[in-house]
Amino acid sequence: MFLSVFDVFKIGIGPSSSHTMGPMTAANRFLEELKSADDPRARNARPAALTVSLHGSLAFTGVGHGTDRAVILGLCGENPKSVDPDRMDAMVAAVEASGAVSPPGHGTYRFRPARDLVFDRKVPLPGHPNGLQFSAYDTDGQLLLRRTYYSIGGGFVVTDAELEAVKTASPADADVPYPFAHAADMLEMAARSGLSIAQMKRANEEAVRARRAVDAGLDEIWSVMSGCIDRGLAQDGIMPGSLKVKRRAKAIHDQLAPQWQRNEMTPLMANDWLALYAMAVNEENAAGGRVVTAPTNGAAGVIPAVLRYYLQFETGASQQGVRDYLLTAAAIGGIIKHNASISGAEVGCQGEVGSASAMAAAGLCAVMGGTPAQVENAAEIALEHHLGMTCDPVGGLVQIPCIERNAFGAVKAVTAASLAMKGDGTHAVPLDICIETMRQTGLDMSDRYKETSQAGLAVNVVAC
């Protein structure tokens, strides 16, 4: 299985890749199956009504993550990349008022969100904590089609059969020049070929698409990331949700900008800008704006923040450096996803912000001239110091502690890259061992700390 850089980095909307983008994509998939399924049906049977049930983490924190809205929009035929954030409220309100959806290429289906969209907190689905079940009925209430999907993190959506295939597939089997499944494989191939990690990742990408398409796609990813930072720096006010959390990025930017213009360099200035960029992205994400999974929405601020830091503070930064950064980060993200998880509902926030920090550290180390061994070391340092991090969003919203957590993930990434560059790549804990430790830690972690808002800050902040 080849995991492309464009699988790792997906353009979509906030606030969650697994709870917003994934369910919207699942709804799209169900509509396609509804139109093309070969399942036996009675003569002239026509779907007339739809229902959806959400299970596991989607049921517990789906309201705060906008899962219900995402399902409604998906059943309207909208997809995460192209949906207009400014029109979403009106589209959802129209469905709630009419009790029906009319996706392009289909007829009109009865769908009453208050009755037909169920948050089932009692019955988890067996494949993954983020499960959805879609059903279609004819005018007599006869079931015509039922499908189960799992939103497995980072916007990835699979069926039961596909989930099993994902578990057994290996990047080592992919038909690409450098099919590394583990960091050790990656380092061995780099040593044998004399190529950097970015060069190997690019060779894999160019095995399935033209170089021009690869570069255009990478440039689009960074354009959306950078635009998200800029929008976050320009917005103020209160973010959506019951917590009434105030945006802070614009106010912090307004303090830092005059200092920067006067060239007043303070010891913490680089850190301040770095944290600011991450917070700007995640405030936009919390508000349902346009973001890039990196590798998830909940961790979407780390990689863009470190990349903007590179462009602002590193002499010799270039467009090619931006591309190499993204390619290197995606290579590390693919290894983590294959051998552990990037889903907060599966392994906690170590799999989201921890993975993002490791990816950003690797990317920054690479564009600062690090060797493959130093890049692997940087990723390991960053990931190691996120091990055990829980996912306990207050109120089920991707705001507290998520926004500040991205800022610290970015700071750790830069620190990890700097430490790795000071060494020769030799270190005691291989990245593969660190990833396996994250996987085991996630298995041991109580579900109450895995994006269910049943413990940790999610309980204690409310109790206060």
Side-chain angles (χ1 to χ4, degrees), residues 90-100 111-113:
M91 286 189 283
V92 171
V95 172
E96 290 174 337
S98 67
F111 183 71
R112 303 155 298 182

Side-chain angles (χ1 to χ4, degrees), residues 103-381:
H106 294 252
T108 296
Y109 304 122
R110 187 186 72 197
F111 183 71
R112 303 155 298 182
R115 293 180 59 181
D116 299 327
L117 179 55
V118 177
F119 290 80
D120 188 342
R121 298 185 178 185
K122 296 181 179 179
V123 182
L125 298 180
H128 189 276
N130 294 331
L132 311 85
Q133 196 165 75
F134 292 77
S135 302
Y137 301 86
D138 66 13
T139 53
D140 296 326
Q142 181 72 28
L143 177 66
L144 298 180
L145 182 68
R146 175 168 288 158
R147 288 289 184 265
T148 298
Y149 303 96
Y150 296 103
S151 181
I152 61 174
F156 291 91
V157 173
V158 295
T159 63
D160 285 297
E162 290 166 347
L163 183 63
E164 290 305 310
V166 166
K167 290 177 179 178
T168 58
S170 171
D173 299 327
D175 187 19
V176 293
Y178 302 100
F180 46 82
H182 300 86
D185 304 331
M186 179 183 71
L187 292 178
E188 190 276 330
M189 291 179 190
R192 190 172 67 243
S193 66
L195 299 177
S196 69
I197 294 168
Q199 288 170 330
M200 291 192 297
K201 183 63 176 169
R202 174 176 284 278
N204 289 347
E205 296 292 336
E206 292 180 3
V208 297
R209 54 177 58 84
R211 169 165 291 209
R212 181 176 297 179
V214 173
D215 286 340
L218 292 171
D219 293 346
E220 181 186 24
I221 288 168
W222 171 235
S223 176
V224 175
M225 286 180 170
S226 184
C228 186
I229 292 174
D230 293 337
R231 286 195 309 277
L233 296 179
Q235 303 294 324
D236 54 18
I238 305 298
M239 287 177 284
S242 59
L243 298 178
K244 306 300 180 186
V245 175
K246 184 178 180 181
R247 286 183 184 246
R248 289 180 288 166
K250 184 179 185 300
I252 297 173
H253 176 264
D254 290 347
Q255 295 176 53
L256 291 177
Q259 288 181 294
W260 181 259
Q261 292 165 359
R262 293 192 301 266
N263 202 28
E264 294 179 4
M265 298 298 292
T266 66
L268 291 177
M269 178 163 282
N271 258 21
D272 288 342
W273 282 102
L274 182 63
L276 170 63
Y277 294 145
M279 291 174 65
V281 170
N282 283 84
E283 287 180 356
E284 274 297 292
N285 178 62
R290 181 77 63 208
V291 297
V292 177
T293 63
T296 67
N297 284 28
V302 177
I303 289 170
V306 174
L307 188 44
R308 181 68 75 89
Y309 164 92
Y310 159 73
L311 291 170
Q312 183 171 348
F313 289 98
E314 287 293 327
T315 58
S318 65
Q319 183 183 29
Q320 188 56 47
V322 170
R323 294 167 178 168
D324 288 345
Y325 172 98
L326 293 172
L327 288 165
T328 305
I332 298 301
I335 292 171
I336 294 172
K337 186 179 187 307
H338 172 65
N339 294 291
S341 176
I342 58 170
S343 169
E346 198 167 21
V347 296
C349 201
Q350 59 176 350
E352 295 203 31
V353 172
S355 296
S357 188
M359 294 163 67
L364 182 60
C365 184
V367 297
M368 291 196 304
T371 66
Q374 289 172 318
V375 169
E376 184 263 359
N377 188 14
E380 187 280 325
I381 294 171

Side-chain angles (χ1 to χ4, degrees), residues 420-452:
M421 289 292 290
K422 302 297 188 294
D424 62 2
T426 304
H427 56 110
V429 181
L431 176 58
D432 288 327
I433 296 298
C434 192
I435 293 171
E436 172 59 16
T437 302
M438 183 178 79
R439 187 190 70 82
Q440 293 175 5
T441 303
L443 290 174
D444 291 339
M445 190 182 292
S446 167
D447 287 346
R448 296 168 65 240
Y449 292 95
K450 292 192 283 190
E451 211 166 357
T452 58

